[in-house]
Amino acid sequence: MIELDLQCASSGAAPDARELQRWCELALRQRSGDSELTIRLVDEDEGRELNRTWRHKDYATNVLSFPADVPDDLLDIPLLGDLVICVPVVEREAAEQGKALAAHWAHLVIHGCLHLLGYDHIEDAEAEEMEDLERQLLAELGHPDPYAEEQPDTGKDS
């Protein structure tokens, strides 16, 4: 079971908690046992500040992942970590890339959850493994390959 703490600190429109939960469960189904995580939806000011503080990059990015770094014997809860998603960046990227908004949201939630599980995309081989898994999970949802150059018109609402 996934316990999701949703924090909305953004004035923008975002998927509802059920959709976010569904995407998290899909991405985390390989994990045995329960998991707790937080998704915080933010505007660009907070997104930029967090990205500057933690990654030393002075701009708001789409998703930041903060895996829980707590020894197992210290907590009696299955804390996985936190995702911070910048709502305006997600909206802007989807429009600029010609992607359905729902598909882009699903991709970024899944991408962030995979980071919480330890997946990374720094090395080419790791990036390929992570991207292949993202493609597979998004295909299960009926969404196109997020890494394809041109996004097909799926007829789904954006």
Side-chain angles (χ1 to χ4, degrees):
M1 182 182 98
I2 306 290
E3 185 172 326
L4 176 62
D5 174 26
L6 180 59
Q7 300 175 359
C8 190
S10 173
S11 57
D16 66 29
R18 288 185 309 268
E19 281 293 293
L20 295 167
Q21 176 90 23
R22 187 177 107 178
W23 299 330
C24 289
E25 288 173 353
L26 181 64
L28 300 173
R29 72 179 177 201
Q30 64 181 287
R31 181 180 162 91
S32 61
D34 295 339
S35 298
E36 290 188 23
L37 71 143
T38 297
I39 295 180
R40 182 169 175 81
L41 306 175
V42 301
D43 285 329
E44 289 194 65
D45 288 344
E46 185 173 347
R48 181 179 183 173
E49 181 61 32
L50 288 167
N51 201 28
R52 181 175 38 233
T53 299
W54 295 102
R55 296 180 64 228
H56 311 291
K57 298 182 183 217
D58 193 21
Y59 58 88
T61 191
N62 50 26
V63 61
L64 292 168
S65 302
F66 297 96
D69 189 20
V70 181
D72 290 337
D73 59 345
L74 219 69
L75 285 180
D76 193 25
I77 58 173
L79 188 60
L80 191 57
D82 302 329
L83 299 180
V84 176
I85 302 175
C86 186
V87 176
V89 171
V90 174
E91 292 171 343
R92 184 172 56 248
E93 286 178 347
E96 290 172 354
Q97 297 169 18
K99 296 178 179 178
L101 187 56
H104 197 46
W105 269 103
H107 178 219
L108 293 174
V109 170
I110 288 168
H111 183 88
C113 285
L114 292 178
H115 275 306
L116 295 179
L117 291 176
Y119 286 87
D120 210 333
H121 45 79
I122 295 172
E123 302 293 328
D124 288 345
E126 292 173 340
E128 188 173 322
E129 178 184 7
M130 186 174 183
E131 290 171 9
D132 285 346
L133 184 53
E134 290 170 355
R135 286 182 183 100
Q136 173 192 337
L137 297 173
L138 288 163
E140 289 182 40
L141 294 170
H143 295 308
D145 178 352
Y147 298 104
E149 288 298 315
E150 291 186 27
Q151 293 297 310
D153 183 0
T154 62
K156 294 185 178 189
D157 66 318
S158 51

